[in-house]
Amino acid sequence: MTSGIRFDAVSVAYGGTTVLDRLDLTVEPGEVMALLGPSGSGKTTALRAVAGFVRPASGRVLIGDRDVTHLPPYKRGIGMVVQQYALFPHLRVDANVAFGLKAQKVSKEEIPARVAEALEMTGMASYAHRYPRELSGGQQQRVAIARALAIRPGVLLLDEPLSALDAQLRSGMLAELARLHRELPDVSILYVTHDQIEALTLADRIAVMDKARLQDCGTPQDLYRRPRTEFTASFVGNANLLPVTVTPDGVTLGDTRLSVATDGIAPGAAATLCVRPHLIGLGEGPNALRGRITEVQWRGSTHRLYVETAGRRVKADVRELRDTPPLGTEVTLNFAPEDAVLLGSGVGDG
């Protein structure tokens, strides 16, 4: 099967409302692309356009070099896994996995070997004769993935595949999906999620969606460390977004002068300073921010401090404190100049 996906100015509308607006995006052969965004951002619609479950109002969808915009789903050569697994309750595991092969009219002689291969790949070979009701949620999801892989697709679509699992199972399945990706280097994977940890863990690149449009696209490291927009900064990870004024040698936050790279933004311009909470230290240091504690949250290995400074609330994730400071305590926070990113004109919410 061919791999790689290309959205060529794809728009989708329901009842006159645009739910996907002129999406241009390419998923390279063998790449894992995560579509990340809040509910209603257009990410699931984009995946369904690739699957053939929605018809674009305009634009084209290509898989490899084939224009599949008007092809029915069963002719697209894709595998798909959804959040509710969609297993047939009256069929055993092996029969569920064989279903797509039969639909593709694979020879009866070949089907058992293909089913065994897919179950072995997902660690479910010993469960072949069980029914879905006899499996845990994580095991059912593995069967759904095995069914999708059995047809040897060039493209694998994953629509919130882990959202129905508890935190421990989700962590285990993330590791399994990463392993499968290493074992299937030629398969292009489009992974829809609203969970930033899943996207950061699995994806080669992340496409950030909001309000039916593509807002940003890049590697997880680039989007996290050097976001280009406030939306990306706030949705990919957690961020302090502070309104500042650019000066010739840095920025000012209220009356506090801070040393950061201005990236060519003209002095006097309004901008937004982005600093991740875990990069903010407690105590004296470069770029000191003085304020008072308004809230403390214990998070196991860390405490999150909320500190009011220059009329803004700054979040700092510091190593677990032996003695929790009382609210109202005056403290000093600091961050290194290289750990801050200056975004273009706009005001964050802190």
Side-chain angles (χ1 to χ4, degrees):
M1 292 291 182
T2 57
S3 65
I5 305 166
R6 182 158 67 92
F7 296 88
D8 180 11
V10 174
S11 294
V12 176
Y14 297 138
T17 300
T18 299
V19 294
L20 188 64
D21 190 7
R22 293 167 293 174
L23 176 61
D24 285 304
L25 184 67
T26 298
V27 184
E28 300 294 344
E31 182 179 37
V32 179
M33 175 74 78
L35 295 182
L36 179 67
S39 297
S41 61
K43 59 187 187 298
T44 295
T45 300
L47 179 139
R48 290 173 62 83
V50 178
F53 299 145
V54 297
R55 183 67 60 85
S58 60
R60 300 185 304 156
V61 177
L62 294 93
I63 294 178
D65 57 1
R66 293 189 306 147
D67 185 340
V68 300
T69 310
H70 302 291
L71 288 181
Y74 67 90
K75 289 188 176 181
R76 298 192 178 201
I78 59 173
M80 185 169 181
V81 180
V82 298
Q83 55 185 307
Q84 296 302 327
Y85 321 142
L87 300 178
F88 298 108
H90 62 289
L91 296 179
R92 297 185 314 185
V93 165
D94 53 0
N96 266 283
V97 175
F99 183 83
L101 296 170
K102 293 177 179 178
Q104 287 193 338
K105 302 189 185 313
V106 174
S107 68
K108 291 182 179 180
E109 294 76 19
E110 187 179 353
I111 287 177
R114 296 272 289 272
V115 169
E117 176 188 54
L119 289 174
E120 184 68 31
M121 190 176 297
T122 54
M124 292 299 293
S126 60
Y127 297 86
H129 299 302
R130 293 195 186 184
Y131 288 92
R133 64 178 178 272
E134 298 171 328
L135 304 176
S136 69
Q139 290 169 338
Q140 290 181 43
Q141 189 62 295
R142 288 169 185 255
V143 174
I145 294 170
R147 181 175 59 188
L149 295 177
I151 64 172
R152 296 175 181 168
V155 167
L156 180 61
L157 307 179
L158 302 174
D159 185 10
E160 302 274 12
L162 309 183
S163 62
L165 304 180
D166 63 36
Q168 186 171 359
L169 280 175
R170 190 181 303 119
S171 177
M173 282 302 301
L174 275 173
E176 286 300 309
L177 288 172
R179 179 185 61 79
L180 282 172
H181 178 222
R182 292 192 296 270
E183 294 182 6
L184 301 167
D186 297 325
V187 176
S188 298
I189 299 176
L190 189 62
Y191 190 102
V192 166
T193 183
H194 65 274
D195 187 298
Q196 52 191 261
I197 299 301
E198 292 179 18
L200 291 170
T201 300
L202 283 177
D204 297 308
R205 286 190 297 152
I206 299 173
V208 182
M209 306 283 295
D210 188 42
K211 298 178 181 177
R213 291 189 174 185
L214 177 66
Q215 301 294 327
D216 211 341
C217 186
T219 68
Q221 294 82 1
D222 285 345
L223 295 184
Y224 187 83
R225 294 172 181 164
R226 311 296 299 181
R228 291 187 288 270
T229 68
E230 290 186 33
F231 183 81
T232 299
S234 61
F235 207 83
V236 181
N238 203 300
N240 291 290
L241 298 174
L242 305 171
V244 296
T245 301
V246 178
T247 67
D249 57 354
V251 299
T252 56
L253 173 63
D255 295 328
T256 303
R257 300 181 67 85
L258 302 171
S259 175
V260 298
T262 58
D263 297 325
I265 301 176
T272 298
L273 187 68
C274 170
V275 189
R276 301 291 183 184
H278 74 280
L279 296 175
I280 297 180
L282 184 61
E284 293 295 337
N287 288 331
L289 296 171
R290 293 173 175 82
R292 61 182 184 84
I293 296 175
T294 59
E295 186 178 351
V296 179
Q297 296 176 353
W298 179 67
R299 300 191 171 196
S301 61
T302 64
H303 274 97
R304 170 163 289 185
L305 306 181
Y306 290 84
V307 176
E308 185 176 330
T309 178
R312 308 298 294 181
R313 192 166 78 150
V314 175
K315 298 168 284 192
D317 292 338
V318 300
R319 181 179 295 181
E320 183 182 14
L321 301 171
R322 191 174 300 276
D323 298 310
T324 304
L327 302 186
T329 300
E330 298 286 335
V331 295
T332 299
L333 304 176
N334 71 85
F335 63 89
E338 61 270 22
D339 288 336
V341 178
L342 197 62
L343 307 176
S345 178
V347 176
D349 62 10

